[in-house]
Amino acid sequence: MTQTPPTRALPWLEPGQPFPAVEEAWGPADPAPGLLAAGGTLDVPTLVAAYTRGIFPWYSAGQPILWWSTDPRMVLNTAEFRLHRSLRKTVQKLISQDRLEIRVDHDFDRVIRACAHTPRSGQDGTWILPAMAQAYGRLHRAGLAHSVETWIDGDLVGGLYCVNLGAMVYGESMFSRVPDASKIALAALVAFCRVHRVPLIDCQQNTAHLASLGGKVMPRSDFIQHVQMALPLAAPTWEFRPVYWDALFHHARRPA
């Protein structure tokens, strides 16, 4: 009779304690592949230390802070973003009617609250708990977290927020109040990244939605190597100009 090997103990972090090496994260045979540690805090230095090592927090109500480093890692190569014909037509129509505005960091707190309260298929509740929202608010005020917002007819109808360190962008969450609003925000982020020569957006988790837009999995070791090369580079200036759409429309990858 084959016995299931025992699960390795999960390290508990005290505030300020360094993270374990990402290679120590639970693997495919463990209950939660990619889980690295629990505990610690969500202050700015800890979050920066996590992201620079390819680690991110993700936990639900009633759980301690859980830290993850998934292998493989879901990423979006900005050169391979799939601008589907229907989305392209929607954006161009809204632009031609002068109804669409992309704003950056106009109302970060409102965006993260909307992300927290957006129902998601297959999920009960939200991982963007009040403590998480407050933590990313602190990152935003430190200039390290940003919102990309879709405004139509003067109303905030969709958006996303992300973390930026050097030339590395880490996507966190999106929301939509009208069809395609979150996709428009993501398309705007891709255009922004192309203009500023940011080649990769971290997506953390593998989902069919991201795959349909060009997301792919990357071995964690390759992802960490990319992060280490991107971190020393200059961070972009977070503003969106309408001319940035040209980086998407004029160099769009042909949809599959």
Side-chain angles (χ1 to χ4, degrees):
M1 180 177 179
T2 302
Q3 293 185 343
T4 302
T7 300
R8 289 175 290 155
L10 187 67
W12 179 265
L13 302 178
E14 297 297 334
Q17 183 178 348
F19 288 101
V22 295
E23 291 79 11
E24 297 180 24
W26 283 0
D30 294 307
L35 184 57
L36 177 66
T41 63
L42 292 171
D43 60 16
V44 169
T46 300
L47 286 170
V48 170
Y51 280 100
T52 58
R53 292 164 175 79
I55 301 165
F56 60 92
W58 184 41
Y59 65 103
S60 300
Q63 295 178 328
I65 301 171
L66 299 177
W67 301 93
W68 302 76
S69 184
T70 51
D71 188 15
R73 189 72 161 234
M74 190 71 167
V75 299
L76 178 60
N77 187 317
T78 57
E80 297 180 359
F81 176 69
R82 292 178 183 162
L83 181 63
H84 294 287
R85 187 174 293 106
S86 59
L87 181 60
R88 179 183 183 129
K89 287 183 176 180
T90 296
V91 173
Q92 291 179 323
K93 181 178 180 180
L94 288 168
I95 291 173
S96 69
Q97 295 172 340
D98 198 25
R99 298 175 59 204
L100 172 65
E101 182 182 4
I102 299 297
R103 301 182 187 177
V104 170
D105 293 339
H106 179 80
D107 202 336
F108 181 90
D109 291 337
R110 188 175 169 193
V111 168
I112 199 169
R113 287 197 303 269
C115 290
H117 292 97
T118 295
R120 304 187 191 278
S121 177
Q123 294 185 20
D124 294 326
T126 179
W127 62 270
I128 309 175
L129 303 171
M132 288 280 273
Q134 293 165 11
Y136 285 91
R138 291 190 292 269
L139 267 185
H140 171 62
R141 290 186 288 277
L144 302 175
H146 303 278
S147 59
V148 179
E149 308 160 11
T150 303
W151 292 73
I152 297 178
D153 298 329
D155 293 324
L156 176 62
V157 295
L160 59 84
Y161 72 97
C162 58
V163 173
N164 170 225
L165 300 174
M168 188 66 215
V169 171
Y170 308 81
E172 289 296 321
S173 188
M174 302 188 293
F175 82 97
S176 272
R177 293 200 176 112
V178 300
D180 291 333
S182 62
K183 291 181 182 178
I184 292 173
L186 179 58
L189 176 61
V190 169
F192 172 88
C193 287
R194 287 184 180 181
V195 168
H196 292 283
R197 299 182 180 180
V198 175
L200 207 67
I201 299 172
D202 175 33
C203 302
Q204 300 175 353
Q205 302 284 354
N206 187 352
T207 68
H209 172 66
L210 289 168
S212 72
L213 297 172
K216 294 181 178 178
V217 292
M218 169 186 279
R220 180 173 57 207
S221 58
D222 292 349
F223 173 74
I224 298 296
Q225 183 178 23
H226 175 85
V227 168
Q228 295 308 311
M229 290 189 298
L231 289 175
L233 302 178
T237 299
W238 281 83
E239 62 177 4
F240 189 88
R241 302 176 182 177
V243 70
Y244 289 177
W245 284 118
D246 292 346
L248 199 65
F249 296 149
H250 294 173
H251 304 282
R253 184 184 179 196
R254 187 181 298 277

